Amino acid sequence: VYTDVLVHENPIAFPIRPELAAAFSYWMYAAEKTHGVSLEIAKQAFIERNEIKTQCEVELSNLNVKEDDDFPRVKPENMILPIMAFVACVYIAVVLQLIHESK
């Protein structure tokens, strides 16, 4: 599996008291309009400066297909024991119910 799509995105929110939120929003707006400074521009500059990859690169095609699988397909042969256990429990329940009704 190859993917170049965004796997997960966390929106950024500032932990700020409600009474300061309006002033903070104003200053963020003013900084962007007057000085061209915004959170997105600062993030992009940080990423470029520190060479952080923006996308998650997942590469699973090199895995050996013949390795043991964590979730193999269920075959009818694999279901014999659970079905037999279920039938045994049903049989025991019927016998106990018949004993209970006979008393």
Side-chain angles (χ1 to χ4, degrees):
V1 174
Y2 291 105
T3 180
D4 289 329
V5 296
L6 183 65
V7 175
H8 182 71
E9 182 178 28
N10 284 332
I12 295 177
F14 294 99
I16 192 166
R17 292 184 292 182
E19 59 267 13
L20 299 176
F24 184 75
S25 295
Y26 167 76
W27 286 112
M28 291 285 289
Y29 176 77
E32 186 173 353
K33 291 301 176 190
T34 58
H35 301 291
V37 177
S38 71
L39 185 60
E40 282 300 318
I41 294 171
K43 283 190 336 186
Q44 290 301 325
F46 177 80
I47 289 170
E48 290 170 4
R49 190 177 16 188
N50 295 307
E51 299 177 11
I52 295 177
K53 294 181 181 178
T54 58
Q55 298 290 329
C56 177
E57 294 180 13
V58 178
E59 190 173 320
L60 298 176
S61 66
N62 293 334
L63 292 177
N64 189 356
V65 179
K66 296 184 181 184
E67 289 181 5
D68 289 336
D69 191 10
D70 289 340
F71 303 104
R73 288 184 171 262
V74 178
K75 299 176 186 172
E77 300 88 42
N78 299 86
M79 294 303 294
I80 291 175
L81 183 62
I83 291 172
M84 294 303 290
F86 177 74
V87 169
C89 289
V90 167
Y91 179 75
I92 292 170
V94 168
V95 169
L96 290 175
Q97 184 66 28
L98 290 173
I99 292 172
H100 175 72
E101 286 180 3
S102 68
K103 289 185 179 182

